[in-house]
Every structure is written in C-alpha cells, then in structure tokens.
C-alpha cells in the first residue's frame, strides 16, 4: 500500500490515476498548462457579477476554451439559478465523502461545467491534512480539464470573499457607474492591496449608458488606485445597460444564449476576447495552486 507521502508527491507532480467513471474525458494536453483561475468580484452587491461570470464563461467557450465556473457565493445560489440547474452535490459533500468529484461537477450549455461551492469552500479552514490531501487530489482533475476557471464570489469586503480574490491568478472587479458602487470598488481594491494581492486587477464597468460614462469610471478609479494605493487597474471593457438582461434572468437562460445579438452579449464577447488575447497574464498556478494559496491564507 502506498503511503500518504507518496500520494502527495504524485499530486505535486500532477500525476493522476484514471478514475472509474471519470467525467473529464479529454486526455491531458501534450504540453500541460495550468488553468487560469479568474475571480470575479465587486465591492457593492447586485452590480452584475453572476451575469458576467456565466455569460463570459459561455463567450469563452465559443472561443474554444474549456471553462469551469465555481459558484463561491455562499448566501445565494446565483450561478445555478441563471443556468436553471440544481446540483445535487456541492464541495461540502465532496469533503464529507458523500460523493465523487464527477457528482459535484455539472454540465452547462456549450460544454461549460460548473460547481456549486456550498458551505464546503468555507469549511476548508477546518480541514485536517488528510482531508486537504483528498481535496487536492480530486481538484487536480479540474486543472487537467479546464483552460479557464471563473469564480463568482459574493459582494463585499469580508474575509471569505477576499480569500478568493487574493488566491486567484487574475481578478475582475465589476462596478456600475453609480458613485456608491465606485466607492465600494475602491474599498475592495484597497483591502486587496493591504493583503498584498499581486494578481492583475481588471475593471469591468457594467450598465453604462454611453462609452464616455464607462471611460470616466475607469479613469477615476484607475487614477485614485494608482495614486493612493499604488495599484494599477486596467480596463477590461464596458457593458451597456440592456433590458434583455432582466428578460433573460427571468427566463433563467443566460443572455448570450437567449439574446446573442443584443448589446450585452456583444460587450461580453469583447471582454472574452480581451481576456483571451491580452498579454498581461501572469503564469497561472491552476486550481491546485489556487487552493494551495487559499489554504495558506486560512491557516
Ligand atoms: N448590463 C445590464 N443591463 C441591465 N440590467 C443588468 C445588467 N447587468 C445586470 N443587470 C441587472 O442586475 C441584476 C443583478 O445582476 P447579478 O445577479 O449578475 O449581480 P451580482 O453582482 O451577481 O449580485 P449579488 O451581489 O447579489 O451576487 C440582474 O438580475 C439584472 O436585472
Ligand atoms: Mg451574484
């Protein structure tokens, strides 16, 4: 029987035995790359995080990316609502041995996958080494499958949200042009800086009525973040106010599927392209690296 240390060494090498009933059918690429882990967050609630996450995932899938969405909003099951799916299991079940990883991962449209974090993500602080090992050995499979992992967080500055932001390879901060949302986005950037976050921060201004309005927000936030916090914030793009968002939410169909030609969808397509083809990406650490950082912050 192999000992614990040997198993850990295998995980560290990214080695994985083929599991029975494995859902990740794709074989590891010949040149193995880590998934980019991108956290989507905001200071103020209700500014469009979940809609951006789900629709961006679908737009990226259209560009040939394998995308996994993790719903890390403990309070509200946002992602599953937009995808009209009810996962039977979440990460907590995985930790408690009630199921396998393949039971936790759900299939969405266009081949995207998603995981409901449930309370599991917040129980990680209480895990013993054996459970940590078990979790990591399972999530390694996700690294091999996904090109991009998008994490939808709750709003606000509490520790739970912040850990996802600081542990990510990249961070998307979303705000609207409302002064309160901008102030809260600034507060988020400030807390991020105080925790020595180093991932590139990129801003999406949602619900703009005109391009000038979005640009003004980017200029203002960018300037104060640089001057007072010494943090660079790049623009990832604007999304126009669009009545089709509410229509799609009511139908529980993602906007880019229900209304592919509407302004919201075109803006999100643009953002997906920027995300994919922009050069400012650090070498990603993947989901295993992400959980490593995440656990470091908890302990
Ligand atoms: N571009 C847009 N145009 C019009 N309405 C929008 C737009 N973006 C978001 N909305 C509206 O805002 C609502 C909230 O969006 P969403 O649930 O994505 O926000 P959130 O930041 O995830 O909220 P929470 O903080 O509660 O998780 C949507 O249901 C929709 O009605
Ligand atoms: Mg949400």
């Amino acid at each position: 029987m192999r000992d614990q240390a040997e198993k850990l060494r295998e995980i560290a090498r990214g080695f994985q035995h083929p599991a029975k009933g494995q859902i990740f059918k794709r074989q590891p690429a010949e040149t193995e790359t880590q998934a980019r882990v991108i956290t989507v967050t905001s200071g103020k609630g209700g500014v469009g995080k979940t809609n951006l996450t789900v629709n961006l995932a679908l737009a990226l899938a259209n560009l040939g990316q394998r995308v996994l969405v993790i719903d890390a909003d403990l309070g509200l099951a946002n992602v599953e609502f937009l995808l009209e799916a009810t996962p039977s299991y979440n990460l907590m079940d995985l930790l408690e041995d009630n199921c396998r990883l393949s039971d936790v991962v759900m299939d969405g449209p266009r081949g995207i996958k998603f995981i409901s974090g449930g309370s599991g993500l917040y129980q990680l602080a209480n895990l013993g080494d054996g459970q940590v090992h078990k979790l990591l050995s399972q999530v390694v499979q996700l690294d091999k499958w996904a090109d991009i992992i998008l994490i939808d967080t709750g709003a606000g500055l509490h520790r739970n949200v912040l850990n996802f932001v600081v542990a990510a390879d990249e961070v998307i901060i979303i705000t609207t042009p409302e002064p309160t949302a901008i102030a809260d986005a600034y507060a988020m950037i400030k807390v991020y800086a105080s925790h020595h976050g180093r991932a590139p921060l990129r801003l999406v201004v949602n619900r703009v009525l005109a391009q000038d309005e979005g640009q003004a927000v980017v200029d203002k936030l960018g300037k104060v973040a640089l001057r007072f916090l010494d943090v660079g914030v790049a623009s990832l793009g604007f999304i126009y106010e669009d009545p089709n968002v509410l229509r799609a939410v009511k139908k529980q169909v993602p906007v880019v599927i229900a209304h592919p030609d509407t302004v919201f969808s075109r803006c999100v397509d643009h953002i997906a392209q920027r995300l994919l083809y922009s050069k400012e990406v650090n070498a990603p650490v993947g989901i295993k690296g992400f959980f490593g950082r995440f656990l470091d912050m908890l302990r």
Side-chain angles (χ1 to χ4, degrees):
M1 207 169 107
R2 291 171 313 146
D3 65 12
Q4 183 91 340
E6 173 59 19
K7 280 194 232 158
L8 281 167
R9 280 191 292 276
E10 281 178 4
I11 294 165
R13 287 197 297 267
F15 175 85
Q16 167 213 346
H17 290 293
K20 258 191 197 160
Q22 201 176 352
I23 43 158
F24 309 106
K25 293 192 188 83
R26 171 190 160 249
Q27 291 302 309
E30 281 176 16
T31 46
E32 201 60 68
T33 51
Q34 305 286 359
R36 283 167 71 177
V37 181
I38 306 175
T39 292
V40 179
T41 193
S42 69
K44 191 173 191 288
V47 294
K49 291 177 297 297
T50 304
N51 273 279
L52 175 64
T53 307
V54 168
N55 287 288
L56 184 58
L58 293 164
L60 287 163
N62 248 8
L63 296 172
Q65 298 295 295
R66 290 156 305 189
V67 189
L68 169 74
V69 172
I70 299 181
D71 188 344
D73 190 337
L74 181 60
L76 305 152
N78 283 286
V79 175
E80 60 194 74
F81 179 82
L82 286 190
L83 292 173
E84 206 184 5
T86 315
S88 311
Y89 299 101
N90 62 39
L91 275 185
M92 191 64 213
D93 297 300
L94 189 65
L95 294 177
E96 287 177 346
D97 246 349
N98 296 333
C99 64
R100 297 167 309 172
L101 184 66
S102 55
D103 299 318
V104 175
V105 181
M106 302 236 355
D107 289 313
R110 296 187 188 169
I112 69 167
K113 295 185 187 291
F114 84 98
I115 291 182
S116 166
S119 58
L121 289 167
Y122 304 91
Q123 299 298 329
L124 296 181
N126 308 322
L127 296 185
D129 286 349
Q131 280 172 298
V132 168
H133 163 264
K134 203 171 70 188
L135 179 77
L136 287 179
S137 66
Q138 305 242 28
V139 298
V140 162
Q141 292 187 54
L142 300 174
D143 246 348
K144 293 195 176 201
W145 178 79
D147 298 308
I148 296 183
I149 296 172
L150 292 176
I151 302 181
D152 180 28
T153 67
L157 305 178
H158 35 87
R159 188 82 217 186
N160 282 341
V161 174
L162 200 66
N163 289 341
F164 291 107
V165 178
V166 176
D169 292 320
E170 299 163 63
V171 177
I172 297 174
I173 296 182
I174 179 163
T175 182
T176 64
E178 253 185 78
T180 46
I182 299 171
D184 290 354
Y186 178 76
M188 169 58 97
I189 298 168
K190 190 171 176 180
V191 176
Y192 175 77
S194 73
H195 283 79
H196 311 289
R198 277 189 224 113
L201 298 185
R202 274 175 292 188
L203 189 67
V204 170
V205 188
N206 187 22
R207 309 192 74 159
V208 303
L209 300 176
Q211 192 164 333
D212 290 359
E213 192 185 25
Q215 191 59 50
V217 176
V218 168
D219 292 344
K220 193 170 165 182
L221 249 182
K223 223 178 264 172
V224 289
L226 197 59
R227 179 160 173 209
F228 298 110
L229 308 174
D230 198 24
V231 172
V233 182
S235 172
L236 194 57
F238 313 136
I239 303 175
Y240 284 88
E241 174 73 25
D242 186 340
N244 285 313
V245 178
L246 185 55
R247 283 192 197 115
V249 169
K250 282 184 180 164
K251 283 192 278 188
Q252 288 185 262
V253 178
V255 193
V256 297
I257 289 177
H259 308 281
D261 291 322
T262 198
V263 279
F264 179 95
S265 302
R266 288 202 293 270
C267 291
V268 172
D269 283 342
H270 253 104
I271 289 171
Q273 286 174 21
R274 275 213 184 156
L275 203 58
L276 212 50
Y277 304 124
S278 61
K279 293 216 169 79
E280 55 209 300
V281 179
N282 291 345
V285 296
I287 194 72
K288 190 158 66 80
F290 170 84
F291 273 110
R293 283 186 197 156
F294 191 89
L295 289 162
D296 282 349
M297 292 186 56
L298 294 174
R299 283 153 175 229

